[in-house]
Amino acid sequence: MARAGLTPDTLTRSGAELADRIGFGQVTPSALARHVGVKVQSLYAHVANAQDLKTRICLLALEEMADRAADAVAGRSGKDALAAFATVYRDYARRHPGRYEAARYPLDPRTAAASAGVRHAQMMRAVLRGYDLPEPEQTHAVRLLGAVFHGFTTLELAGSFAHSAPGPGESWTWTIDSLDRLLRTWTTP
């Protein structure tokens, strides 16, 4: 019999909270069972195994970021949309480092196709419509922006920018301004 109050959703949310506290890589069914105060066997009525738990946390993180990004970019275009979209990822990573890490967990193709990851790509392309990029340049731009946003955020979380001036906030603004200029003047080789 399943313990009262345990559901796949409550365990996923508890796992996400635990990931933010101890790191996504450290979240296991055993660690989650200790966190929620049950025996590990009690979890298996709700999550199949460690991979299922990690997948659920990944899907939650993707959904949360997509919802925040949709709210942030609504009614914006051009540089304003670009900055709003990018800042959602940076702010989310700083507030929820374990969930941010979880959002990069490898999903099987079917799960990925049904996830909020699709919304992320659609929103990124919507932001880029304001820059009038043709294909395949738009795909290149999506990858470039993702690499810059993720790279900057990952380095900042690791403390790589803590040892010199200017502060990371100033560099973030400079980065967004530079990306906007690049996208406005993009030329096809």
Side-chain angles (χ1 to χ4, degrees):
M1 172 178 266
R3 181 180 167 106
L6 291 184
T7 66
D9 185 57
T10 60
L11 290 172
T12 300
R13 292 191 179 284
S14 291
E17 292 167 10
L18 186 60
D20 287 339
R21 203 166 348 144
I22 67 171
F24 180 66
Q26 302 303 311
V27 175
T28 63
S30 297
L32 180 58
R34 283 190 302 276
H35 179 67
V36 298
V38 300
K39 293 184 186 281
V40 72
Q41 295 82 359
S42 300
L43 299 184
Y44 292 121
H46 308 286
V47 295
N49 51 38
Q51 181 178 347
D52 181 37
L53 175 61
K54 287 184 181 263
T55 297
R56 289 171 184 273
I57 296 168
C58 170
L59 295 172
L60 173 67
L62 289 170
E63 188 74 34
E64 288 176 344
M65 284 193 296
D67 290 345
R68 285 174 171 93
D71 289 344
V73 300
R76 298 174 190 247
S77 63
K79 182 181 171 186
D80 289 340
L82 177 67
F85 187 84
T87 299
V88 163
Y89 287 88
R90 181 175 179 234
D91 288 349
Y92 188 84
R94 293 187 316 176
R95 287 187 186 113
H96 301 290
R99 294 177 206 211
Y100 182 76
E101 182 183 350
R104 296 182 315 275
Y105 185 70
L107 300 173
D108 66 73
R110 193 174 78 173
T111 303
S115 78
V118 174
R119 287 176 53 209
H120 292 261
Q122 290 169 338
M123 282 186 279
M124 179 83 77
R125 288 183 181 276
V127 167
L128 288 173
R129 275 196 291 275
Y131 293 99
D132 199 29
L133 300 177
E135 279 296 349
E137 283 79 14
Q138 192 176 97
T139 298
H140 298 317
V142 166
R143 292 173 181 164
L144 170 69
L145 294 175
V148 171
F149 300 160
H150 174 66
F152 188 102
T153 300
T154 301
L155 289 169
E156 182 180 20
L157 287 176
S160 298
F161 303 145
H163 309 293
S164 63
E170 189 176 330
S171 293
W172 181 254
T173 300
W174 183 91
T175 299
I176 299 302
D177 290 344
S178 297
L179 288 170
D180 174 64
R181 277 191 305 278
L182 171 67
L183 293 169
R184 281 188 285 110
T185 60
W186 192 286
T187 58
T188 303

